[in-house]
Amino acid sequence: FDAAGNLVVNVTDESVAPTIRGMVQHLLDRPRRGRTPTAGQRELIVKRVAFDFTKLAQWRTALLRAGSEVNGFHSIGISHSRNRIEISVSSPQAYSAMLAVVGRLGVPSHALHVSIEAEQNDFADSLTKYVSAFGAGLRVSGYRFGNSFGPCTLGWNVYTGTAFITASHCTGERG
């Protein structure tokens, strides 16, 4: 969905747009939570993109494996709206090393964006100092695995009295 609430479907072949519209439009036209749809309230946008999600996911997996050896590699993900892989590193040296990995793996440069972001180790000692209400996705810590560093976020709201549930990637062990 885009910021206006429209459903965006990415396709690499525009000839499938009518089929997509036929399969999905009726879902958008249905009443939502007891409300009747308003004309133009939600639209289906079929957008032509360069890469299908499967290919981006394959490249992301390969880059994650190879990039974890880069000192200063922070994070990697797929941006659906930009149709590219987003990579975060901590320094110009890590940026150069990551570009070398990209070249070695044969990932097209226009299929990704690499940004330099300072590593943040100044985590809050009390979440309530910074936010009044928090839920899933809020960054609470960080993790390091080999040379990689990534954000650690809260999972769904669960309070045990002494801890919060975090996402499964918030560990120093893989598996």
Side-chain angles (χ1 to χ4, degrees), residues 12-141:
T12 56
D13 178 2
E14 288 177 335
S15 71
V16 300
T19 303
I20 297 292
R21 287 185 196 289
M23 293 170 48
V24 178
Q25 187 63 51
H26 72 281
L27 297 172
L28 295 176
D29 294 338
R30 289 189 319 190
R32 230 171 63 184
R33 295 185 188 175
R35 294 181 284 163
T36 56
T38 305
Q41 182 181 22
R42 294 178 290 168
E43 293 181 36
L44 170 62
I45 299 169
V46 179
K47 182 173 121 181
R48 165 98 171 62
V49 295
F51 309 106
D52 64 43
F53 181 81
T54 302
K55 192 62 180 169
L56 289 171
Q58 289 170 347
W59 287 331
R60 180 203 55 210
T61 300
L63 287 164
L64 177 60
R65 286 186 182 130
S68 65
E69 301 304 317
V70 172
N71 190 21
F73 171 70
H74 280 200
S75 64
I76 187 167
I78 296 174
S79 170
H80 300 277
S81 62
R82 293 186 174 126
N83 190 236
R84 67 183 184 193
I85 300 165
E86 303 278 344
I87 300 172
S88 163
V89 296
S90 64
S91 68
Q93 295 81 9
Y95 180 90
S96 296
M98 186 54 80
L99 289 183
V101 169
V102 167
R104 189 176 78 238
L105 294 175
V107 178
S109 61
H110 61 285
L112 58 95
H113 173 74
V114 181
S115 61
I116 300 172
E117 298 176 17
E119 189 172 306
Q120 297 178 1
N121 288 319
D122 57 340
F123 303 116
D125 55 49
S126 172
L127 287 176
T128 56
K129 280 184 181 178
Y130 300 93
V131 291
S132 57
F134 46 89
L138 179 68
R139 181 180 174 165
V140 293
S141 186

Side-chain angles (χ1 to χ4, degrees), residues 145 168-169 171-175:
F145 185 82
S168 62
H169 60 258
T171 179
E173 298 176 22
R174 292 192 181 178

